[in-house]
Every structure is written in structure tokens, then in C-alpha cells.
Amino acid sequence: MKYVDEFRDGTLARKLADAIAREADPARNYAFMEFCGGHTHAISRYGVTDLLPANVRMIHGPGCPVCVLPIGRIDMAIRLALSHPDVTICTYGDCLRVPASDGLSLLKAKARGADIRMVYSAADALALAQKMPEREVVFFAIGFETTTPPTALVLSQAQALGLANFSVLCNHVLTPSAILTILESPEVRELGTVPLDGFIGPAHVSTIIGSRPYAFFAEEYRKPVVIAGFEPLDVMQAIRMLIRQVNDGRAEVENEFTRAVSEEGNLKAQGLVSEVFELRRSFEWRGLREVPYSALKIRAPFAAWDAEAKFGLEFVSVPDNRACECGAILRGVKTPIDCKLFGTVCTPENPMGSCMVSSEGACAAHYNYGRFRDIPVVAGTAS
């Protein structure tokens, strides 16, 4: 298959690994963060870290939309579904299993009688509202810039149709704000517990926003950024490009994913998003806490389709499970194998935290692809 098979070629991967080994300076260490969960998944699935020299370290970032969703936002949807029998909540499959307060999740709330359904797209939720005019259909929208335009489109369509029984509970977040928060965090700036030499920039997000927004991080923080596709050779080539920048003392934005990403991005999608959404003053991220201007809210002309306004929903911050290290993993401070729950009581079948739920989560990627060989097997648990 074009643009897939050739980016998974084992012979080319070995050549790239040899080139990285030659170009990496043995006298120094390199630490690169792959922001996007899709890259984390590819690195674990294809064993990319096994092909890298010991002095090249990959750090997982917070670019998994399910993982960074705070408990309080899921609680909002659960309270709405359980308190309003006429409401149908629609969302993506990964969201259903994220642990919330009181041992609940959207899936467990469904088992208690709430009408909660999995959909593949925002358009599916809109179509359901048209089919069921007697019910209030609420789309629980999550994701970075990639999934924001489809949500903007259904809000625009709902307004045009005058579809009064449809609304959106918006949880869309922004990539640049999260990167800025990481770079400004004490772990990076002062404590040195997360040394960062550069970033692998997200692929799908960058098809929307383009490569230009990352220039600030390269210029202001002297951190190179290489935007990469999701195939293993994409990731390896991006690592090689980052090593070259570090060796040369450069801090630039480079685009490895030229087959899909341009400098300006998708201007039509950006325009639609700007028409429907505006910035929130602050939004809580799991692991990053409150991040200023890091999320979107629905503009006033579309308030009739804003579930938060329509149903008077209020966000209440809820602390994470104390034993779960999801927050530290999302900040790059810890790895999945640093968590005492990982691979024992916390598995994809029984997730204790959000990082084990989504396939893009660091914990799920490590677990599913065997990246935890040093963890002792506990009787009665998965090995």
C-alpha cells in the first residue's frame, strides 16, 4: 500500500538505525519528546527504541486526548446522563472506559441505565439527533486540533437546520499551549528531571494548524521541532533530523511529514473552527493541571447548542487516583514502568488511569507491545 508499506521497510529501518548510531555523539545524551500519542503507539508497536543508541532517549508527552481529559469533565457527562432520562450522550469509544469519580465511567453509567452510545464521528451524533427528535442528543467532544473541525461543522449544521435537540459538551484542547506548559514547567526549567533537547511534532494536528505555530518554541526556547508521520520510518527519520540539529547547535522547525503537512495548514478548517469556537481562559488537563488559553469553548452565536450552557453544567476539579502515575507520565517525569499499578492491577481490561485506556496512551502502548519485561509477575495478573 502506497505511503504505508515503504515506511515500514525493515531493511530501510536498519539503515536508518545505523545512520542514527553514527551521527549520535557518544559523548552526550539526547532526550526527545514525542508529543503525540500516535507516535508513542508507533514507537512501542515497532520497537523503535530498540533500534536507537543507549544515549538517545524518547520521552512520552501528553498528546493523547483521552489521557489528558480530567476526571471532572467526564463526571459532568455522567451527571447529565444519570439525571436527565431524556438525554442521550454520544462519544468516541475510548472515552467510555476512562475511570471517573465514585468508581464510575461512562460505560458503567450506561450499565446503570443511562443512554450513552459510542459513535465514530461527530456526524453520527448529529444524525442520531435528527432520527430521534424526542430526545436530547449531546455529543461529548474531545480531541486536539485534528478532531475540532468536524465538531465545528456539526455545530454549524445544527444551527442551519435549527436542530434544537442537539448540543455539544466541548472538551477540545490545543497542542501549542500544552507544549508551552511543558517547557515552562519546573521539571524542565529548574529541576532538570525532564531534560528536553527537542520535540517530534504531531502529524495529524499539523495537517490542520501547519508547521508555523511551532516556530515560537524553536526561537524562544531553543528547542528544535521535527514534524513526523506516524509510521516507524517517519519517526526514525525525525529522530535523525533532531540529532543533526542538536549536533549543529540549531533550533528550527523541520517537516519530515511533507506528504501531508504544509507551513500554513488547512486554512478552510482553521476558518470554520475560528467561526464556531473561541479560547477558554483556562482549562484543566490531567497531569498539567490548569493551563491558560489551552482549550476551546463554543461562541455565543452557537450557545443554543452548547451543552454546558443548555443544561447548566459546572466543572468540579477531582484529584486523580493517588496510586496512579498518569499525571507524571503525561508530563514526561515518569514512565509507565515507574507506576506500581502498571501491568498488575492496572491493565487495558481493568484500567486504573486514562493512560491505560486509549491505544494512544503510553501505558496501553507499553503493555500491549511488551515494553515491561522487568516488571515481576504477580499471581493472578497478566504477564
Side-chain angles (χ1 to χ4, degrees), residues 9-23:
D9 187 293
T11 301
L12 289 177
R14 284 189 289 273
K15 291 180 179 178
L16 259 178
D18 291 341
I20 290 171
R22 286 194 308 270
E23 295 178 22

Side-chain angles (χ1 to χ4, degrees), residues 272-301:
L272 179 60
V273 169
S274 180
E275 177 187 337
V276 175
F277 294 109
E278 62 185 354
L279 286 173
R280 293 181 188 263
R281 287 183 178 272
S282 186
F283 192 83
E284 182 177 312
W285 292 51
R286 191 187 299 249
L288 301 181
R289 304 180 184 90
E290 288 286 334
V291 181
Y293 301 106
S294 65
L296 299 173
K297 66 177 181 180
I298 298 170
R299 287 187 182 274

Side-chain angles (χ1 to χ4, degrees), residues 199-213:
F199 289 90
I200 293 182
H204 292 159
V205 163
S206 300
T207 65
I208 302 298
I209 68 173
S211 62
R212 190 175 291 122

Side-chain angles (χ1 to χ4, degrees), residues 6-180:
E6 63 265 48
F7 289 90
R8 299 178 183 177
D9 187 293
T11 301
L12 289 177
R14 284 189 289 273
K15 291 180 179 178
L16 259 178
D18 291 341
I20 290 171
R22 286 194 308 270
E23 295 178 22
D25 183 352
R28 64 156 299 152
N29 293 319
Y30 302 82
F32 303 125
M33 176 176 280
E34 84 274 1
F35 180 88
C36 186
H39 289 135
T40 300
H41 176 91
I43 287 168
S44 293
R45 178 181 179 184
Y46 296 103
V48 170
T49 51
D50 296 339
L51 299 174
L52 300 178
N55 61 333
V56 178
R57 176 189 174 200
M58 299 306 299
I59 300 170
H60 310 310
C64 162
V66 172
C67 303
V68 299
L69 194 65
I71 291 173
R73 300 297 294 187
I74 303 167
D75 285 350
M76 289 170 68
I78 291 174
R79 286 196 303 269
L80 175 61
L82 291 176
S83 62
H84 290 70
D86 63 328
V87 167
T88 297
I89 302 286
C90 297
T91 192
Y92 302 119
D94 282 353
C95 290
L96 298 179
R97 299 173 57 244
V98 178
S101 298
D102 303 321
L104 284 175
S105 64
L106 286 167
L107 195 60
K108 290 178 179 178
K110 177 180 175 68
R112 290 190 179 186
D115 189 357
I116 298 173
R117 309 188 188 191
M118 185 192 80
V119 292
Y120 289 104
S121 69
D124 289 347
L126 185 72
L128 193 63
Q130 291 175 291
K131 291 178 182 177
M132 302 191 308
E134 74 284 359
R135 295 193 62 78
E136 288 283 347
V137 176
V138 178
F139 178 54
F140 187 72
I142 72 160
F144 289 91
E145 291 89 343
T146 313
T147 54
T148 305
T151 305
L153 180 61
V154 295
L155 281 166
S156 181
Q157 289 174 331
Q159 184 189 58
L161 293 168
L163 196 62
N165 69 319
F166 177 77
S167 58
V168 170
L169 180 48
C170 180
N171 303 282
H172 286 299
V173 290
L174 304 173
T175 300
S177 301
I179 295 176
L180 179 61

Side-chain angles (χ1 to χ4, degrees), residues 1-9 46 231-234 259:
M1 183 183 295
K2 191 174 183 182
Y3 298 134
V4 175
D5 291 348
E6 63 265 48
F7 289 90
R8 299 178 183 177
D9 187 293
Y46 296 103
E231 298 302 329
L233 296 190
D234 285 317
R259 62 189 186 275

